[in-house]
Amino acid sequence: GFIGGNFGWRTVFWFGAAASAFAAIAMWRALPRHQGHNRLTYPQLLASLTPLVREHRGLRVSCALGFCAFATFSAFWTTVPFHLASMGLGPAFVGSLGLTAMIGAFVAVNVGTFADKYGSVATGAFALVMLAIAWTIYWSGANLAWFFVAGAIVFAIGMQSNQISNQSRIFALDD
């Protein structure tokens, strides 16, 4: 947002390309080099998912919840910049609104502890409640910037909670 607001949208893409190139070089240098043990081709690997999805109900639930959360995420972040622009708020505000996602990272430890204690169903329910509250906040104050900030904070917590719920459910499949 800061870069786009001050230097134009093309600069954002050039900055992103440079950051991606830097990350690729850093990973190429830092990650270990070893061959995997599995000799499946990529199509065979994709086909191997079908029996897993068929066999594990928890995996199907996680896929469905992940799909719904991603749809919610996409619906919000695709449309909110246009709505905020109609309120006279520019890219700098939208970019700073994206920083609220860091709050989701900070609560991840607490949500993980909650998931360990109460399970993935309770954590998933918490995530869905947080996402519903976030959308209620957005709809309640559609023309007030601070409602978007509050909603984005709750939204980030809901999205992170959904991710942790799905991970704990998937990692427990063969237990």
Side-chain angles (χ1 to χ4, degrees):
F2 171 80
I3 296 169
N6 291 301
F7 302 105
W9 66 269
R10 285 185 175 93
T11 306
V12 173
F13 287 99
W14 283 112
F15 183 79
S20 295
F22 176 77
I25 292 168
M27 286 187 289
W28 177 69
R29 293 184 57 128
L31 292 176
R33 290 169 176 74
H34 64 78
Q35 288 292 99
H37 302 292
N38 197 328
R39 299 289 179 220
L40 295 176
T41 65
Y42 188 67
Q44 290 170 328
L45 190 61
L46 288 178
S48 73
L49 294 175
T50 303
L52 292 174
V53 172
R54 193 178 303 129
E55 179 182 342
H56 297 287
R57 181 181 180 276
L59 184 56
R60 292 190 303 272
V61 169
S62 289
C63 288
L65 291 174
F67 171 82
C68 291
F70 180 72
T72 297
F73 181 86
S74 296
F76 175 73
W77 285 109
T78 300
T79 58
V80 79
F82 297 108
H83 181 67
L84 293 175
S86 73
M87 295 168 49
L89 299 168
F93 181 83
V94 174
S96 62
L97 189 63
L99 293 175
T100 60
M102 290 191 319
I103 293 170
F106 291 127
V107 302
V109 172
N110 295 329
V111 174
T113 302
F114 183 88
D116 290 341
K117 186 172 183 179
Y118 298 106
S120 63
V121 173
T123 310
F126 173 76
L128 294 176
V129 167
M130 290 287 96
L131 292 171
I133 290 171
W135 281 103
T136 303
I137 292 170
Y138 296 141
W139 287 324
S140 299
N143 293 315
L144 300 171
W146 71 272
F147 269 75
F148 278 93
V149 173
I153 291 169
V154 176
F155 190 75
I157 294 169
M159 289 298 293
Q160 187 68 33
S161 300
N162 183 66
Q163 181 71 11
I164 291 169
S165 170
N166 287 339
Q167 285 178 342
S168 64
R169 185 180 299 109
I170 290 169
F171 291 149
L173 285 177
D174 288 328
D175 287 350

